[in-house]
């Protein structure tokens, strides 16, 4: 296989290193924005050099962002070149279009590294579906938020202090909004649910509440009641509909999710016959992510010629899951008072409320109280 790399950053460099010395995989071209002496002989700044090269059969996109990644990937598929990408934003935004393009042109589109970094999540999701029906997917799907929540439990400090540390270590971007507000997780959950349930979800319609407003006081309260707070994603198949949401969640201190440390991920599916299976590992990083990209390439060499599912039917989001919530707010609210059943220090505990309704309320309530925080209780 002759591949062209689009991007030579952290992940692109890792792919290049893993491909060195292999006889079945050659990096023939690299699209770059700056001169890189190490790859000068194969570097180009013109994507047409890749598109028009008939010897290149696979394009590997690790440049990130929506544009020009979308234009490059679309053109590669139309030119009947396989595409492997780690770009979850791209796949989530153009899911039906890109999968259709790949099918129409008889080439493979793979994106295992887009969800879970080095975890072989989508690959195993695909394998499970051969023999079983998946009813639920989700878990800890973002290393940055898990690092922050883990640090706030193990080394008590305020959210801003831990966030700054995460940025210094390279776990969080200068603008961490996509992580701490749940946008990154929402994209990963949408792709996972689409594949698991043969569905097409409107990613932006998935109710999402992040960890931006959590405090060390909240964490101390949770620990005093035997809970650990984690940022969890959930998607369940409910007949012909799907219930999906993303929120901070209180799990028992002895649960599997509670023990996931630092920037690690733990992603699970539940199937009718085999029950729950979970996948733990590095959610990001040079070689963990690069290894999944290269594994996708090797699968294509081995005969993989399609996406992870062939069936895609638009699915409505169902408001079907209800559970109690911890809510902390400085503003009185009549609806919240009507569902309050207990008090925990600065917060209250509600009766079982649908996840969609609670998240919608919390998002609206932030305009009254920007410090408001909620967490589902599992």
């Amino acid at each position: 296989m002759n591949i062209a790399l689009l991007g030579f950053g952290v992940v692109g460099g890792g792919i290049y290193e893993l491909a060195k010395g292999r006889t079945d995989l050659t990096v023939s071209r690299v699209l770059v924005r700056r001169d890189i002496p190490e790859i000068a002989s194969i570097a180009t700044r013109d994507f047409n050099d890749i598109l028009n090269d008939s010897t290149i059969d696979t394009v590997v996109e690790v440049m990130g962002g929506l544009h020009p990644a979308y234009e490059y990937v679309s053109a590669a598929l139309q030119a009947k070149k396989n595409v492997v990408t780690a770009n979850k934003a791209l796949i989530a935004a153009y899911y039906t279009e890109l999968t259709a393009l790949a099918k129409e042109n008889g080439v493979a589109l793979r994106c295992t590294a887009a969800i879970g970094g080095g975890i072989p999540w989508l690959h195993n999701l695909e394998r499970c579906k051969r023999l079983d029906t998946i009813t639920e997917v989700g878990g800890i799907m973002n290393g940055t938020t898990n690092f922050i929540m883990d640090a706030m439990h193990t080394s008590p400090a305020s959210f801003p202090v831990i966030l700054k540390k995460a940025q210094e270590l390279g776990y969080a971007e200068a603008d961490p909004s996509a992580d701490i507000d749940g946008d990154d997780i929402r994209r990963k959950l949408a792709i996972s649910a689409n594949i698991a349930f043969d569905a097409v979800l409107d990613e932006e319609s998935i109710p999402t509440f992040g960890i931006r407003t959590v405090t060390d006081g909240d964490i101390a309260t949770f620990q005093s009641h035997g809970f650990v707070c984690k940022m969890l994603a959930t998607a369940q198949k409910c007949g012909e509909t799907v219930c999906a949401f993303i929120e901070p969640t209180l799990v028992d201190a002895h649960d599997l999710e509670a023990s996931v440390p630092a920037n690690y991920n733990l992603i699970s599916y539940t199937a009718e016959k085999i029950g729950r299976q979970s996948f733990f590992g590095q959610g990001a990083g040079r070689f963990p992510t690069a290894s999944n990209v290269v594994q996708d390439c090797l699968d294509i060499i081995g005969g993989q010629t399609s996406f992870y599912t062939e069936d895609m039917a638009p699915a409505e989001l169902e408001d079907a899951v209800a559970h109690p919530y911890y809510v902390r707010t400085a503003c009185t609210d009549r609806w919240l008072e009507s569902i309050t059943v207990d008090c925990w220090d600065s917060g209250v505990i509600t009766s079982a409320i649908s996840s969609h309704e609670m998240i919608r309320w919390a998002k609206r309530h932030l305009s009254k109280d920007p410090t408001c925080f909620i967490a589902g209780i599992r």
Side-chain angles (χ1 to χ4, degrees), residues 1-23:
M1 173 184 282
N2 286 322
I3 73 171
L5 276 178
L6 308 186
F8 200 75
V10 172
V11 177
I15 295 166
Y16 183 75
E17 289 297 320
L18 291 176
K20 274 184 178 179
R22 296 192 67 92
T23 58

Side-chain angles (χ1 to χ4, degrees), residues 149-298:
M149 299 309 289
D150 180 57
M152 290 185 73
H153 284 79
T154 57
S155 305
S158 68
F159 179 85
V161 169
I162 297 297
L163 174 59
K164 183 178 180 182
K165 183 178 180 181
Q167 291 170 321
E168 290 171 350
L169 292 172
Y171 294 148
E173 301 288 341
D175 178 2
S177 300
D179 292 317
I180 65 175
D181 293 332
D183 297 341
D184 175 80
I185 304 172
R186 190 178 65 227
R187 294 169 188 138
K188 295 173 181 176
L189 184 64
I191 296 168
S192 298
N194 284 347
I195 292 170
F197 309 138
D198 298 325
V200 178
L201 297 179
D202 177 10
E203 174 228 325
E204 294 187 355
S205 296
I206 298 175
T208 304
F209 195 89
I211 62 168
R212 184 184 290 270
T213 55
V214 68
T215 68
D216 47 342
D218 293 325
I219 301 300
T221 297
F222 303 152
Q223 291 179 308
S224 71
H225 286 84
F227 288 103
V228 169
C229 187
K230 292 289 186 177
M231 185 69 166
L232 297 186
T234 301
Q236 298 177 352
K237 191 75 164 68
C238 305
E240 298 302 312
T241 62
V242 175
C243 180
F245 56 93
I246 296 147
E247 64 186 12
T249 306
L250 304 189
V251 298
D252 187 277
H254 300 292
D255 282 357
L256 189 58
E257 285 83 359
S259 63
V260 177
N263 66 328
Y264 282 78
N265 285 194
L266 179 76
I267 314 176
S268 306
Y269 57 67
T270 301
E272 289 181 352
K273 295 182 178 64
I274 64 172
R276 175 178 170 175
Q277 293 190 333
S278 300
F279 300 83
F280 170 85
Q282 290 273 6
R286 180 184 179 89
F287 286 114
T289 305
S291 67
N292 253 344
V293 172
V294 174
Q295 291 283 11
D296 277 349
C297 291
L298 297 180

Side-chain angles (χ1 to χ4, degrees), residues 127-140:
R127 292 181 77 247
C128 177
K129 288 181 60 186
R130 297 176 188 171
L131 295 175
D132 213 338
T133 298
I134 296 174
T135 58
E136 182 173 350
V137 295
I140 297 170

